[in-house]
Amino acid sequence: MSENYVIGVDGSEQSRAALAWGLERAKQRNASVELLHVADDSFLSESVAFLSEAQAASEAMLKTEIEYARSLGFEGVCKGTAVVGHPIAEVEEASKRADLVILGAHAGSRFAGSFFGTRAVKVAATAHCPVAVIPAPEPVEHKTVVVGIDGSEASQKAIAFAAEEASTRGLPLTAVYAWMPPLTPGLEYLWSEELVSSQRSAAEEAIAIGVAGLATRYPELEIRREIVQSPPVAALVDAARGAEMIVVGSRGRGGISRLLLGSVSHGVLQALPCPVVVTRS
């Protein structure tokens, strides 16, 4: 059964960058595409006339973006959905029928640096499938797929996605594990060589467990291991600059984790060093 991608469109430069990325991926994988445009009703009157006009405008925008998709040479299945509603809620609903949601790198809020961060962060925290956030296209300097490893179930999902992606693209997989010695301000002198050595050994064990089995499943896949003494977000962003893609795992959707994406995935999405995919736990 072929995959289905939901791509958010609004006619902006950012969404068209995501549209082009998603269509290219769909062509490579023979996937179907659903373009989604949401007319935000947050500030609309609830009168039937206003809502009707908003729906008509949404449908007109969708028609334009479908025509644009065809102008890019995409000949696969391309349907569209135009709705009036709350963008986050509508994308979450659409994610139930998708294998991947693809969004442009919109700030989506004048509070982009606040607790909730970008609109993409909110979508990634609530979606039912992996979410790809695509920045403006830049030259690819390092042809690799980067994945963050921390030994958690969430990172195992990310590794599985990243390995399949790297294998399909014929690229090496760069597995990054970032660690820091225990921070006790004023007592740094207590960091012994034994402590640092044990921390590094634990990191090596975690990354070995994380990539275990990949060589058997993907015998042609080159796996590069990077163990970095650095804060996780900084290490991942640095490793992913100029890369084809970075994949990070998210928490599950239960309880407060539905609203808290996680500091690492949140931080990587805020930096967007390259296309970022957030997988589901």
Side-chain angles (χ1 to χ4, degrees):
M1 185 175 179
S2 65
E3 295 181 326
N4 178 54
Y5 303 154
V6 169
I7 306 176
V9 295
D10 62 12
S12 67
E13 179 182 351
Q14 295 94 331
S15 79
R16 286 195 167 182
L19 177 56
W21 188 92
L23 294 177
E24 183 61 30
R25 180 186 174 89
K27 283 193 287 187
Q28 294 171 352
R29 295 170 176 257
N30 195 31
S32 61
V33 169
E34 176 186 350
L35 308 191
L36 174 66
H37 180 263
V38 182
D40 192 341
D41 66 357
S42 301
F43 303 102
L44 293 177
S45 165
E46 294 184 359
S47 73
V48 174
F50 273 101
L51 294 178
S52 177
E53 288 184 12
Q55 181 64 38
S58 182
E59 291 172 358
M61 171 62 71
L62 182 64
K63 180 180 178 181
T64 298
E65 294 310 288
I66 290 177
E67 291 173 353
Y68 179 75
R70 294 303 185 193
S71 76
L72 295 179
F74 184 71
E75 299 177 351
V77 176
C78 182
K79 59 184 179 179
T81 300
V83 294
V84 178
H86 190 284
I88 307 303
E90 295 297 340
V91 176
E92 177 187 359
E93 183 63 26
S95 74
K96 296 177 182 179
R97 56 182 182 269
D99 295 289
L100 181 67
V101 168
I102 302 168
L103 303 173
H106 284 291
S109 169
R110 60 193 178 96
F111 302 110
S114 68
F115 178 81
F116 285 106
T118 65
R119 181 169 285 180
V121 170
K122 300 177 190 178
V123 171
T126 58
H128 297 259
C129 68
V131 175
V133 184
I134 314 302
E138 294 183 0
V140 175
E141 301 172 4
H142 309 293
K143 291 187 176 296
T144 184
V145 174
V146 176
V147 63
I149 292 180
D150 64 7
S152 67
E153 179 186 352
S155 77
Q156 286 300 124
K157 296 287 187 180
I159 294 165
F161 186 101
E164 195 275 337
E165 190 72 27
S167 177
T168 299
R169 292 172 178 252
L171 298 175
L173 175 67
T174 301
V176 179
Y177 188 104
W179 66 281
M180 290 289 289
L183 298 178
T184 307
L187 298 178
E188 288 83 357
Y189 64 88
L190 293 178
W191 296 353
S192 65
E193 290 186 9
E194 290 80 9
L195 174 61
V196 173
S197 177
S198 67
Q199 288 280 329
R200 184 169 182 84
S201 294
E204 290 173 346
E205 180 180 1
I207 205 169
I209 293 173
V211 302
L214 294 184
T216 300
R217 185 170 184 180
Y218 306 106
E220 304 299 322
L221 179 63
E222 176 188 353
I223 303 174
R224 301 171 180 172
R225 297 165 171 82
E226 292 189 9
I227 298 175
V228 185
Q229 185 175 331
S230 172
V233 173
L236 289 171
V237 169
D238 185 61
R241 292 195 190 282
E244 288 274 353
M245 174 189 296
I246 180 171
V247 184
V248 290
S250 77
R251 304 176 185 182
R253 303 183 70 260
I256 195 169
S257 63
R258 177 180 169 84
L259 297 178
L260 297 177
L261 181 62
S263 59
V264 173
S265 47
H266 190 155
V268 172
L269 277 176
Q270 294 282 32
L272 275 181
C274 64
V276 175
V277 175
V278 180
T279 57
R280 307 305 313 163
S281 178

